[in-house]
Amino acid sequence: MNEPKTPSPKQPSVKSPSDASSELVDIRSFEGASDLQLIHGYGGNSFRISGERYSGSVLVHPRQTAIWTPPAKPETLVIDDLLPHFGDDFPPLFILGVGGAPMDPMNDLSAALRFHGIALEVMSTPAACRTWNVLMSEGRNAVTGLYDIA
């Protein structure tokens, strides 16, 4: 006759659904998350951010986006082009999307921002858009400046 088999030690154990929930990583939730600025598209010298279309370069804060007129060449960007847009509460991180792949590490700008407690990350605009959305999903405080791309 067929007798029930005892599980061998090599078989994985099956966890109940209640066990599986304890392995999940909690993602910080936002009060009033409906105004969180997420980037949904870019190209054609514009951005689509939280349902709104912006033509040209933009500065994006967690809950506000504004048109930005930076210098034509990102390597000529200086701290005075940025600080007035940060308000009184400087972000701990500034992500700069410079269009294509960055060719200049922007050491002078990085040092000037660091003096104010702000870290600088320079990357292509597409990478900056993706990074921004990840940071917002994690509840991070940051600002991003995005040069428009065709």
Side-chain angles (χ1 to χ4, degrees):
M1 294 247 156
N2 291 340
E3 292 188 31
K5 294 182 180 179
T6 45
S8 71
K10 294 181 183 177
Q11 289 181 331
S13 62
V14 177
K15 294 183 179 181
S16 70
S18 63
D19 292 340
S21 66
S22 65
E23 295 175 9
L24 294 177
V25 174
D26 288 328
I27 296 176
R28 184 175 173 189
S29 61
F30 296 94
E31 303 249 346
S34 63
D35 62 347
L36 194 61
Q37 301 297 287
L38 298 175
I39 302 168
H40 298 285
Y42 55 85
N45 301 101
S46 64
F47 297 90
R48 192 173 64 254
I49 302 170
S50 294
E52 298 289 325
R53 187 178 183 106
Y54 296 86
S55 294
S57 299
V58 292
L59 268 172
V60 186
H61 294 253
R63 302 202 180 277
Q64 176 185 355
T65 299
I67 297 295
W68 178 44
T69 310
K73 295 181 179 182
E75 57 273 8
T76 63
L77 189 67
V78 295
I79 193 150
D80 291 337
D81 296 320
L82 299 170
L83 287 184
H85 301 284
F86 291 159
D88 296 332
D89 188 24
F90 293 162
L93 176 62
F94 179 64
I95 300 165
L96 179 60
V98 295
M103 302 307 273
D104 183 341
M106 306 184 83
N107 292 328
D108 291 341
L109 179 60
S110 181
L113 286 168
R114 200 170 31 256
F115 177 79
H116 293 281
I118 305 168
L120 173 66
E121 290 291 333
V122 181
M123 56 190 75
S124 70
T125 294
C129 291
R130 292 188 301 272
T131 300
W132 176 258
N133 286 345
V134 169
L135 291 173
M136 291 303 95
S137 75
E138 294 175 347
R140 300 273 305 272
N141 181 16
V143 171
T144 187
L146 303 171
Y147 275 79
D148 61 334
I149 53 177

